[in-house]
Amino acid sequence: MSVQFNVPTPLRSFVGGHNSLLIDANSVGDTLNHIELKYPGFKQRICDKEGELRKFINVFLNDEDIRYLDCLATPVKSGDTLSVIPAVAGGSGQTFQSLLSLAKEQVPELNPVELKSRIDSKEPLTLLDVREGEEFRQGYIPGSINVPRGFLELQVESKIPDKQSPIALYCAGGTRSLLAGLTLKKMGYQFIISLAGGFNGWAKESLPVTIPKVLSEKERKRYNRHLKIPEIGEEGQLKLLNSKVLLIGTGGLGCPNAYYLAAAGVGTLGLVDFDVVDESNLQRQILHTADRVGQPKVKSAIQTLSGFNPDLKIIPFEERLTSSNVERIFADFDVIVDGSDNFPTRYLVNDACVKLGKPCVHGSVFRFEGQVSVFDPSDEAPCYRCLYPEPPPPSLAPSCAEAGVLGVLPGVIGLLEAIETIKHITGIGTPLKGRLLTFDALETKFKEFKIRKNPHCSYCASKEGFPGYVDYEQLCSVEAN
Ligand SMILES: [Zn+2]
């Protein structure tokens, strides 16, 4: 017969996970010594260097506190129960040291050179940096993703949905990543390793490090409200600053696009317009001012936009878009925003985007109604010609100059284009691809229509390659039948 020694949860990892032990001993101290023989390091959790019971530990013999008996010299006999009751603070009661030991048991560690050869072997392995964002921005192991330790439980499942996928964790020195590994294990992740010595150890071995481009202090202030949105954050803002957007026209649709894209931090805006500011433009074309009537619209736009965001780079194209200059003008841009007011330009823009594989954000307005969509020939989405294989005859397609337009309507449609542009650049949300959104200002109604990719589209589905540009003026001046 022996004494039953009950182990509290925080100490179980030191005795092989047992919640109680049966020990043959004749005093409390003797019991602890026996346990120490089997599980070295255990006794120091209970007693200090002098061999005295630690202040935050109570040991009960049956229901008596041994401090009120003979303390460690208290005799025990067969059938007695000894219980260790440590102070707990509501949580698991685990101390840092006990957690760390548990983590070391459960999370295998690799040194930097071992991790490097795992990475080089091209076996699937997700590198997860659990340092704070600020530390990550100073430099990280190439290919890593960053989920700060404090956000681990909240964000890791969205970033690494597959719990079978092997993950290598690292922090600065190797401690936070071990604890993070324990958390991931509890969340069901199966294959976790931790980098011993952390990023600092990795850098000391002169292994490769990526130093990311970061926002300047000034940019952090200016785009603070974007940085607060997790979907955009610093990464998204850098994408915007590095992006190049071409606006076709600086008229009704181009103006709100230009204003908001410049404000949101798109780094480079190209402006295509050969027109001059007319008094009748001022009803809606808000980049231009009364004192600039007669001036080229592109120059007027530059004047407004550079006062608004001095860091914006503007590339002006004061020329009419034609099939002979369209590829030169489009070449350097990531997204084309169509704010044109005529069909020849609209078809030309579509055809060039199909040929060059560039996304086109489409907007158009007529009196009280507007349309928006995103045509992206680089994936399986339809193009403008899938929606409208041919332009309407001129008698059915009056321009704004002929038919008129509500002055604020291009603001609504242009800003929907700007939103789609930002979504495309940052890769967030669901793009308006394969969908036509219409807005009726008189009824205040949005409607959405599905646009199918036309398998016989002469442009985006052409098997023989790009069919060539056509005479767009002629294409749009022919009356049907
Ligand atoms: Zn098409």
Side-chain angles (χ1 to χ4, degrees):
M1 286 290 280
S2 36
V3 176
Q4 180 175 324
F5 187 86
N6 290 337
V7 188
T9 312
L11 295 183
R12 285 178 195 160
S13 63
F14 300 103
V15 293
H18 296 290
N19 51 13
S20 74
L21 304 165
L22 290 174
I23 308 291
D24 286 314
N26 47 37
S27 71
V28 176
D30 193 26
T31 309
L32 293 179
N33 290 338
H34 274 81
I35 298 174
E36 174 69 18
L37 279 178
K38 192 159 184 209
Y39 301 106
F42 174 75
K43 196 180 168 186
Q44 70 189 56
R45 313 286 158 193
I46 309 282
C47 300
D48 60 22
K49 284 196 187 94
E50 280 69 46
E52 300 290 333
L53 207 55
R54 289 181 181 274
K55 300 277 189 289
F56 51 86
I57 295 273
N58 286 320
V59 180
F60 288 81
L61 172 60
N62 302 319
D63 58 359
E64 285 289 343
D65 186 335
I66 60 164
R67 283 199 173 89
Y68 298 100
L69 301 169
D70 273 337
C71 214
L72 293 174
T74 305
V76 294
K77 60 180 191 307
S78 192
D80 280 339
T81 299
L82 281 171
S83 305
V84 175
I85 311 290
V88 292
S92 67
Q94 284 177 314
T95 62
F96 165 67
Q97 282 304 334
S98 70
L99 266 178
L100 191 61
S101 311
L102 187 64
K104 276 180 181 284
E105 272 171 31
Q106 298 200 1
V107 181
E109 290 181 284
L110 290 186
N111 69 36
V113 175
E114 289 166 335
L115 178 61
K116 178 70 168 55
S117 66
R118 273 289 292 274
I119 295 168
D120 290 344
S121 76
K122 308 271 182 219
E123 288 170 55
L125 183 67
T126 303
L127 290 165
L128 181 56
D129 186 327
V130 297
R131 294 175 302 160
E132 296 304 307
E134 197 48 56
E135 297 174 277
F136 183 76
R137 285 189 284 277
Q138 309 285 322
Y140 53 83
I141 301 177
S144 306
I145 55 173
N146 176 223
V147 180
R149 178 71 188 87
F151 292 97
L152 190 65
E153 293 89 334
L154 287 174
Q155 296 180 356
V156 69
E157 283 168 319
S158 66
K159 302 233 173 166
I160 310 175
D162 179 7
K163 297 199 168 167
Q164 301 293 323
S165 76
I167 300 171
L169 293 166
Y170 69 92
C171 58
T175 304
R176 275 178 288 174
S177 60
L178 267 175
L179 297 172
L182 202 55
T183 303
L184 292 187
K185 286 241 156 183
K186 280 188 192 151
M187 291 176 76
Y189 286 89
Q190 300 289 314
F191 305 105
I192 306 289
I193 50 178
S194 173
L195 173 62
F199 181 76
N200 296 341
W202 175 274
K204 244 187 222 144
E205 297 281 349
S206 304
L207 294 167
V209 167
T210 299
I211 312 275
K213 186 181 181 301
V214 291
L215 293 176
S216 66
E217 215 31 60
K218 192 173 145 216
E219 288 166 335
R220 295 190 154 274
K221 280 199 181 121
R222 180 164 182 127
Y223 303 114
N224 173 280
R225 301 301 188 273
H226 272 167
L227 302 188
K228 293 211 153 80
I229 308 177
E231 287 83 351
I232 297 184
E234 178 147 6
E235 197 186 332
Q237 191 62 51
L238 283 165
K239 284 181 185 167
L240 288 170
L241 287 167
N242 291 327
S243 70
K244 295 176 176 178
V245 176
L246 183 69
L247 301 180
I248 310 299
T250 56
L253 293 167
C255 284
N257 264 294
Y259 251 121
Y260 272 91
L261 293 176
V266 165
T268 303
L269 275 186
L271 306 175
V272 189
D273 210 316
F274 67 95
D275 219 348
V276 294
V277 179
D278 182 84
E279 222 166 347
S280 68
N281 299 150
L282 302 177
Q283 170 242 25
R284 65 200 176 283
Q285 301 184 14
I286 54 174
L287 285 171
H288 313 302
T289 52
D291 60 337
R292 295 184 210 149
V293 168
Q295 279 186 30
K297 281 189 179 176
V298 165
K299 288 207 169 68
S300 164
I302 291 174
Q303 209 176 323
T304 305
L305 292 170
S306 37
F308 187 62
N309 187 350
D311 296 328
L312 172 71
K313 187 177 173 202
I314 302 174
I315 303 177
F317 298 95
E318 219 184 302
E319 50 195 306
R320 184 192 288 271
L321 197 67
T322 68
S323 43
S324 51
N325 65 16
V326 68
E327 292 189 14
R328 166 177 58 82
I329 292 175
F330 280 21
D332 278 343
F333 292 90
D334 311 312
V335 187
I336 314 298
V337 177
D338 187 2
S340 60
D341 59 356
N342 62 83
F343 284 104
T345 307
R346 187 148 292 159
Y347 278 86
L348 170 62
V349 167
N350 178 73
D351 296 354
C353 283
V354 169
K355 183 171 181 201
L356 302 173
K358 289 185 190 277
C360 173
V361 180
H362 166 89
S364 52
V365 289
F366 180 79
R367 290 193 175 156
F368 294 100
E369 290 167 34
Q371 299 184 349
V372 197
S373 189
V374 176
F375 301 107
D376 192 351
S378 65
D379 58 24
E380 284 306 293
C383 79
Y384 185 69
R385 280 184 189 261
C386 293
L387 178 63
Y388 299 118
E390 284 175 9
S395 58
L396 290 181
S399 68
C400 287
E402 294 156 9
V405 63
L406 182 70
V408 294
L409 180 71
V412 175
I413 301 301
L415 291 188
L416 288 168
E417 288 187 282
I419 290 172
E420 290 305 311
T421 303
I422 286 175
K423 280 163 60 187
H424 178 85
I425 294 166
T426 53
I428 60 172
T430 307
L432 201 58
K433 291 181 195 178
R435 300 187 283 153
L436 179 71
L437 185 72
T438 65
F439 175 58
D440 179 339
L442 280 184
E443 301 298 323
T444 313
K445 275 199 171 130
F446 283 98
K447 283 188 191 155
E448 194 185 300
F449 303 92
K450 200 176 277 176
I451 310 174
R452 301 232 177 246
K453 188 173 178 76
N454 176 0
H456 307 294
C457 175
S458 55
Y459 276 73
C460 73
S462 165
K463 300 269 183 297
E464 289 81 41
F466 186 69
Y469 297 108
V470 297
D471 181 337
Y472 292 90
E473 292 297 336
Q474 204 221 352
L475 171 79
C476 300
S477 64
V478 180
E479 286 284 346
N481 300 318

